[in-house]
Amino acid sequence: MGFFFEVVLSKATFTSPGKTEKTTSWTASFDTGAAWASLAFQAHKLGWAAHGMGGFDHEAARRVIKASEEYRLEAVVAIGKRGERASLPERLQANEKPNARRPLTETVFEGELR
Ligand SMILES: Cc1cc2nc3c(=O)[nH]c(=O)nc-3n(C[C@H](O)[C@H](O)[C@H](O)COP(=O)(O)O)c2cc1C
């Protein structure tokens, strides 16, 4: 069974074409989220599973990949081939079913932020 992890980073500054000074990128996290989604779709299309993780040791990951403070560590993604359910510990086997999704009406709404 093969799997690997990747750390997804965004760069919070950029230099516009023709300019020399750096400026803040307000969409860096948004753009990186779109890139991760594309990766997950492509992985799925190729028969791989990709799972995002926000709960990781950010400081340790930053140290390991030697990322400067200019980079924001957005997530870690585990990519691998789906294995047999029976190979999981029993308590994890119980999780291997579709989970309940929050109704869309709780996420998308008109007017002011609640
Ligand atoms: C950006 C991101 C971060 C996530 N972080 C975690 C995490 O730290 N721990 C975790 O158990 N699941 C995390 N998840 C959820 C899992 O990746 C996965 O979606 C979850 O196990 C449910 O799987 P399912 O979407 O196939 O139902 C995260 C998902 C995303 C998109």
Side-chain angles (χ1 to χ4, degrees):
M1 183 184 66
F3 66 93
F4 57 95
F5 295 95
E6 71 166 37
V7 182
V8 181
L9 309 168
S10 64
K11 192 160 176 251
T13 59
F14 74 105
T15 308
S16 299
K19 297 274 168 69
T20 49
E21 76 280 9
K22 285 180 182 175
T23 180
T24 301
S25 169
W26 297 110
T27 61
S29 287
F30 183 79
D31 299 341
T32 307
W36 132 252
S38 300
L39 180 147
F41 298 144
Q42 184 66 24
H44 182 75
K45 193 173 175 208
L46 296 174
W48 293 76
H51 283 271
M53 289 174 277
F56 63 95
D57 185 333
H58 286 70
E59 280 177 26
R62 188 180 288 283
R63 255 196 326 274
V64 168
I65 63 168
K66 297 186 170 62
S68 73
E69 290 298 325
E70 201 175 9
Y71 293 90
R72 183 181 160 91
L73 273 63
E74 301 283 356
V76 169
V77 178
I79 302 174
K81 294 277 181 183
R82 190 174 289 276
E84 290 300 321
R85 181 181 164 155
S87 67
L88 290 169
E90 233 166 77
R91 68 182 175 84
L92 293 179
Q93 286 188 28
N95 292 347
E96 288 299 301
K97 58 177 179 0
N99 58 14
R101 300 294 183 194
R102 192 167 59 187
L104 210 52
T105 49
E106 284 183 23
T107 304
V108 181
F109 54 88
E110 253 186 271
E112 292 180 352
L113 197 59
R114 282 175 260 151

